[in-house]
Structures are given as structure tokens and as C-alpha cells.
Amino acid sequence: MLTSKQRAYLRSLANTIDTIVHVGKGGMTDQIIKQADDALTARELIKGKCLENSPLTSREAADLIADATASDVVQVIGSKFVLYRPNPDEPVIKLPKSKK
């Protein structure tokens, strides 16, 4: 679970990355989930988009992909969403520490 400070940090990093996952009229497919899973392993932070002809909202698509890939939804704005999953072997992104 991400804290609000960690989520804000990830949102700032997501501003500069390109959208690599597109959910279209076919809805959620195994291919989209596999693509997102592979991208999360390689990059840790990905941006996705629901096209206008998609049967899913961007929130639904983000939640479905997050559940299938064991990742966290960082943000959903309009038709775009951002997902994060740390790489257990070689983490690239260092999150701010959470206060306990």
C-alpha cells in the first residue's frame, strides 16, 4: 500500500513517461495484461490509456490490470492511468520512506 507522499512522488515521475498500454474496443485481454506485467517488471512505473471505444472506464481497466499484475494504482485522470510495482530483484525507483 502506498502512502500519499509516495503516490505524489510517483505521479511526478509519471509526468514524463509515455503511454504504453492501450485498452481498446476489445476490452481487457490476456495480451494487455501480459504486456502490462512485462512492462512493470522492466520499468516499475507505467502509464496506460482507455481509448474512446473501450467498454471499460479507465478506473475499471486500472483496477483489473492492478489485480492481475499485483501492482498499485497510482492515479487515474480522465482516460489515463498510472500503475506501479517495484521490481523485487533490481528496484530502480526509490520511494520516500513512510512514517510509522
Side-chain angles (χ1 to χ4, degrees):
M1 192 71 178
L2 296 171
T3 65
S4 61
K5 186 177 233 181
Q6 292 170 336
R7 198 174 300 278
Y9 176 70
L10 291 171
R11 280 197 309 263
S12 71
L13 292 178
N15 281 335
T16 59
I17 64 174
D18 294 328
T19 304
I20 57 172
V21 176
H22 298 276
V23 180
K25 68 180 177 182
M28 194 57 58
T29 63
D30 292 338
Q31 183 180 3
I32 291 172
I33 292 172
K34 181 175 178 358
Q35 178 188 10
D37 189 47
D38 293 344
L40 282 164
T41 301
R43 302 175 183 212
E44 295 185 329
L45 188 69
I46 63 170
K47 190 183 290 186
K49 180 176 182 173
C50 273
L51 304 177
E52 289 182 18
N53 56 1
S54 172
L56 300 170
T57 65
S58 54
R59 171 55 73 181
E60 292 168 339
D63 288 340
L64 285 172
I65 294 172
D67 288 343
T69 61
S71 60
D72 290 309
V73 178
V74 175
Q75 78 175 357
V76 178
I77 294 181
S79 63
K80 294 192 178 186
F81 55 90
V82 178
L83 301 174
Y84 170 74
R85 181 181 70 196
N87 187 331
D89 300 328
E90 299 174 14
V92 177
I93 299 172
K94 291 190 65 85
L95 293 177
K97 298 282 185 206
S98 59
K99 295 180 182 176
K100 291 186 178 181

